[in-house]
Amino acid sequence: MWLALIIGNSRLHWGLFDGKTLCHTYDTERLSKSFVYSLSKCQTLSEVQQILSSSPHTPRQSLFVGNQQDCADSSTLPTSHTLPTTPSFPLLLASVVPSQTALWLTYPNVGVVTLEDIPLQGMYPTLGIDRALALWGAGKTWGFPMLVIDAGTALTFTGADANQNLFGGAILPGLGLQMATLAENTGQLPNVELPHDLPQRFAVNTQQAIQSGVIYTLLAGIKDFVQAWWQSFPQGKIAITGGDRTLLISYLQSLFPEIAKRLIVEPNLIFWGMEKTQNAQFFHNS
Ligand SMILES: Nc1ncnc2c1ncn2[C@@H]1O[C@H](COP(=O)(O)OP(=O)(O)OP(=O)(O)O)[C@@H](O)[C@H]1O
Ligand SMILES: CC(C)(CO)[C@@H](O)C(=O)NCCC(=O)O
Ligand SMILES: [K+]
């Protein structure tokens, strides 16, 4: 058993693996140095699960339900499984927040994934590790050419061609950040939630005007990138991930159903990417 940890810009994403099988995922807030210490002292799987479930978590903490047939249900996990040789539960880390990386390096049995661990060609040195991992995970699972849309704090497009060569991508503020920045940097605009359904485009109140502006321009932008991708790679695949993926898919189904139909929706792309690096091989038999 081993733990994967992705340090994103808003929160932490945890994946509990049994070898190659992702068994359970958790989203938590950023955690303290004393939490890192407590986790390192866990001796059994149930202690690890307990400490992660009881840590400050975001409402969407989820039991993993994925497309991997052999994935263990948490109720079937060997909860009293004692770690035989390792001093602490093996932890594989990928981070886009350097200050947080430093904190987790105090964990005794930690491995850090870097761009050098990902066999994609043509990556530039400052490419985000989350983008590289999501692209690697999606491409190795569904094939290349692959374009990944990660709808997180930032929204990113990241594509690779049939030779697993980085084609390129783009970065823009994600849905939540676009709403927040309007509220923070104006005198009259309120903080507004994202609606579950596609709003009316021509709005007649402030709240709906903000929702419409952010959502319709983002959907138009996604459509434009997707069409450009298919122009370069007519058979190219597209996968979407990130905290806002479900909302975006629902909007896309209403506005551009022909695009929505062709998207692979997968919340755990970065975990698949981590599992498919050399680093994880060390953990497969632990
Ligand atoms: N419980 C939640 N807590 C925080 N954000 C959430 C939650 N549920 C959905 N979201 C949405 O997810 C988005 C953040 O996505 P995600 O969690 O993938 O980002 P992240 O952890 O910051 O990672 P990254 O830095 O890679 O974007 C926010 O825009 C927000 O609207
Ligand atoms: C774009 C984000 C913030 C998305 O999480 C992250 O991948 C990052 O910090 N990237 C570095 C810059 C780049 O990817 O070109
Ligand atoms: K920054």
Side-chain angles (χ1 to χ4, degrees), residues 81-104:
H81 175 89
T82 306
L83 300 168
T85 49
T86 50
S88 300
F89 217 77
L91 176 69
L92 187 58
L93 172 71
S95 171
V96 294
V97 186
S99 58
Q100 284 289 303
T101 316
L103 171 66
W104 282 92

Side-chain angles (χ1 to χ4, degrees), residues 65-87:
V65 188
N67 56 354
Q68 299 275 306
Q69 308 269 306
D70 55 346
C71 184
D73 183 278
S74 72
S75 59
T76 67
L77 288 175
T79 49
S80 61
H81 175 89
T82 306
L83 300 168
T85 49
T86 50

Side-chain angles (χ1 to χ4, degrees), residues 143-159:
F144 293 93
M146 174 60 77
L147 177 72
V148 169
I149 304 172
D150 187 342
T153 309
L155 189 141
T156 58
F157 299 92
T158 317

Side-chain angles (χ1 to χ4, degrees), residues 209-273:
I210 294 170
Q211 294 173 332
S212 168
V214 168
I215 292 169
Y216 281 96
T217 58
L218 187 55
L219 292 178
I222 289 177
K223 179 189 183 202
D224 192 59
F225 269 90
V226 162
Q227 286 178 339
W229 173 250
W230 281 330
Q231 212 148 54
S232 296
F233 304 102
Q235 304 303 319
K237 299 185 172 72
I238 305 179
I240 183 165
T241 193
D244 286 327
R245 73 188 177 284
T246 314
L247 220 41
L248 269 183
I249 282 290
S250 126
Y251 301 154
L252 280 168
Q253 276 163 348
S254 304
L255 196 63
F256 304 126
E258 67 291 352
I259 290 178
K261 251 188 300 192
R262 286 184 63 179
L263 299 189
I264 299 163
V265 185
E266 172 53 55
N268 298 306
L269 279 186
I270 304 180
F271 290 135
W272 298 138

Side-chain angles (χ1 to χ4, degrees), residues 18-281:
D18 182 358
K20 290 172 177 288
T21 306
L22 180 58
C23 303
H24 207 139
T25 63
Y26 312 79
D27 295 326
T28 69
E29 309 291 325
R30 287 187 186 164
L31 300 165
S32 64
K33 193 162 184 169
S34 68
F35 182 94
V36 179
Y37 180 77
S38 304
L39 184 65
S40 77
K41 293 298 168 201
C42 287
Q43 284 301 304
T44 64
L45 180 57
S46 60
E47 281 172 25
V48 170
Q49 290 188 298
Q50 171 61 33
I51 192 175
L52 281 176
S53 327
S54 61
S55 64
H57 63 270
T58 54
R60 287 227 196 142
Q61 183 205 30
S62 65
L63 186 66
F64 172 67
V65 188
N67 56 354
Q68 299 275 306
Q69 308 269 306
D70 55 346
C71 184
D73 183 278
S74 72
S75 59
T76 67
L77 288 175
T79 49
S80 61
H81 175 89
T82 306
L83 300 168
T85 49
T86 50
S88 300
F89 217 77
L91 176 69
L92 187 58
L93 172 71
S95 171
V96 294
V97 186
S99 58
Q100 284 289 303
T101 316
L103 171 66
W104 282 92
L105 288 179
T106 63
Y107 188 90
N109 195 13
V110 67
V112 181
V113 185
T114 66
L115 290 180
E116 286 169 19
D117 302 310
I118 302 168
L120 288 168
Q121 305 300 303
M123 291 185 291
Y124 56 91
T126 61
L127 178 69
I129 191 72
D130 55 344
R131 301 177 63 194
L133 281 169
L135 180 55
W136 182 241
K140 292 307 271 184
T141 305
W142 290 282
F144 293 93
M146 174 60 77
L147 177 72
V148 169
I149 304 172
D150 187 342
T153 309
L155 189 141
T156 58
F157 299 92
T158 317
D161 67 17
N163 299 320
Q164 309 186 8
N165 200 39
L166 181 70
F167 187 66
I171 303 169
L172 61 143
L175 278 173
L177 207 49
Q178 292 197 34
M179 309 293 273
T181 198
L182 279 177
E184 270 161 36
N185 295 287
T186 60
Q188 295 200 116
L189 299 186
N191 226 319
V192 174
E193 298 272 297
L194 288 161
H196 285 288
D197 299 314
L198 195 61
Q200 167 183 329
R201 185 190 291 266
F202 290 98
V204 289
N205 66 55
T206 301
Q207 174 169 332
Q208 288 171 4
I210 294 170
Q211 294 173 332
S212 168
V214 168
I215 292 169
Y216 281 96
T217 58
L218 187 55
L219 292 178
I222 289 177
K223 179 189 183 202
D224 192 59
F225 269 90
V226 162
Q227 286 178 339
W229 173 250
W230 281 330
Q231 212 148 54
S232 296
F233 304 102
Q235 304 303 319
K237 299 185 172 72
I238 305 179
I240 183 165
T241 193
D244 286 327
R245 73 188 177 284
T246 314
L247 220 41
L248 269 183
I249 282 290
S250 126
Y251 301 154
L252 280 168
Q253 276 163 348
S254 304
L255 196 63
F256 304 126
E258 67 291 352
I259 290 178
K261 251 188 300 192
R262 286 184 63 179
L263 299 189
I264 299 163
V265 185
E266 172 53 55
N268 298 306
L269 279 186
I270 304 180
F271 290 135
W272 298 138
M274 290 174 85
E275 190 279 312
K276 292 172 200 322
T277 61
Q278 281 298 321
N279 317 57
Q281 306 301 316

